[in-house]
Amino acid sequence: MTIDTDEREELTRRSALVALIGAGLAVGCGGSESAASGSGTDAGPGDASNPDGATATAEAAACDVTPEGEIGPYFADDSAAGFNRGDVRSNLDGTSTQPGVPLTLTVNVVDADNGCAPYAGAQVDIWHCNASGVYSDISSENTSSDQWLRGYQLTGANGQVTFTTVIPGWYAGRTTHIHLRVRSTYSEASSTTDGTNTTQLFFDQTFIDTLYTTVAPYSSEGTNPTTNASDRVYSQQENGANQLALTGDDTNGYAASVTIFLPITATYDATNPGGDGGPGGGPPGEGGP
């Protein structure tokens, strides 16, 4: 399966902004998709290995907002040095590498209060379930000794970091998603319940439906019965404003980029964390984060 540029014609305002960001980045946040070879490395423009990479600079007139998504019960404040890494597919010691189609995710962080200038020194955390819908580092998941598919990086002068992970699987009650949290300092919103500057990233519905029925190991779980349209967090985020546009294929992997505008706008309805079959604190199979 290869993502085709004709699969999605609708552009959001945010994709127009991302199009202004340095050359060579895959467009994120709901833009059109194109077929290209995916990447399985974590050396991105925000890494020391690529100090001259594209920055997250954007025109002030196009400066937008990032909608907030709930933090969920599976956030772990993994600010220890070992979690500062680009490739999050395995445990910190290199064991238990998670199977799945590789995803190279570039995160651009900009300061919406400063003309969308690149935001240096921000801590960017990502975490998500594996192909079987399970999170690591969570006692209720029996994965307390594992750290796969979790990690953080600090943005450089260009406001950018790049992670290597895999396309997530799914679990009952939620559409496919990646959690992302951006903090200007470690002390800012470091608890496991405060969702400040937290959002979620989503995938094209046709893409995940096809992936889950044709590609191992996802095909062993089958199609996710919770679609984007029926997922409350997705619908509250401006109808999926954080939907990733992918380039690549199932064999070589996919790449995507997303721009996060600090401060993240609090549009998520935190007063209704469990309604409509959405996230609500239970483990996978009971309506999770």
Side-chain angles (χ1 to χ4, degrees):
M1 175 177 55
T2 299
I3 292 296
D4 192 301
T5 53
D6 295 327
E7 286 185 8
R8 191 160 71 249
E9 297 177 356
E10 182 178 357
L11 293 175
T12 65
R13 291 176 301 154
R14 194 166 291 101
S15 67
L17 172 68
V18 180
L20 298 172
I21 299 170
L25 289 179
V27 177
C29 299
S32 61
E33 301 167 346
S34 60
S37 295
S39 173
T41 66
D42 66 344
D47 298 333
S49 59
N50 188 11
D52 298 322
T55 71
T57 302
E59 293 182 0
C63 201
D64 211 331
V65 295
T66 296
E68 182 184 44
E70 71 165 22
I71 193 168
Y74 295 140
F75 170 69
D77 199 10
D78 300 323
S79 295
F83 285 91
N84 186 350
R85 55 182 180 159
D87 191 333
V88 300
R89 291 175 294 181
S90 66
N91 286 332
L92 297 183
D93 62 4
T95 61
S96 297
T97 298
Q98 295 301 290
V101 175
L103 171 65
T104 301
L105 177 63
T106 297
V107 181
N108 305 287
V109 182
V110 299
D111 188 349
D113 293 331
N114 186 27
C116 277
Y119 201 118
Q123 179 174 324
V124 181
D125 292 76
I126 67 167
W127 68 101
H128 61 83
C129 69
N130 63 10
S132 299
V134 177
Y135 284 82
S136 70
D137 202 13
I138 300 297
S139 59
S140 63
E141 299 276 79
N142 297 318
T143 57
S144 297
S145 61
D146 294 313
Q147 307 89 30
W148 34 261
L149 305 183
R150 292 182 179 274
Y152 77 91
Q153 293 184 74
L154 302 178
T155 58
N158 59 4
Q160 196 173 85
V161 295
T162 298
F163 293 96
T164 299
T165 184
V166 296
I167 302 291
W170 63 271
Y171 48 91
R174 284 304 316 276
T175 192
T176 306
H177 63 282
I178 293 175
H179 292 272
L180 187 147
R181 190 174 196 182
V182 182
R183 291 174 280 178
S184 57
T185 64
Y186 167 67
S187 60
E188 175 190 335
S190 59
S191 78
T192 60
T193 57
D194 186 343
T196 302
N197 283 346
T198 301
T199 195
Q200 297 182 22
L201 310 179
F202 302 97
F203 296 83
D204 175 76
Q205 188 66 57
T206 300
F207 168 76
I208 56 178
D209 285 348
T210 305
L211 182 77
Y212 292 160
T213 55
T214 62
V215 180
Y218 307 96
S219 54
S220 63
E221 302 293 328
T223 304
N224 185 354
T226 303
T227 64
N228 287 339
S230 63
D231 184 86
R232 186 174 54 83
V233 179
Y234 180 97
S235 62
Q236 286 189 5
Q237 291 195 351
E238 299 177 11
N239 195 26
N242 284 350
Q243 183 170 299
L244 295 172
L246 303 177
T247 61
D249 56 55
D250 299 336
T251 301
N252 299 299
Y254 291 92
S257 67
V258 62
T259 298
I260 300 299
F261 304 80
L262 291 183
I264 293 175
T265 303
T267 58
Y268 172 72
D269 183 7
T271 65
N272 182 28
D276 302 326
E286 300 179 11

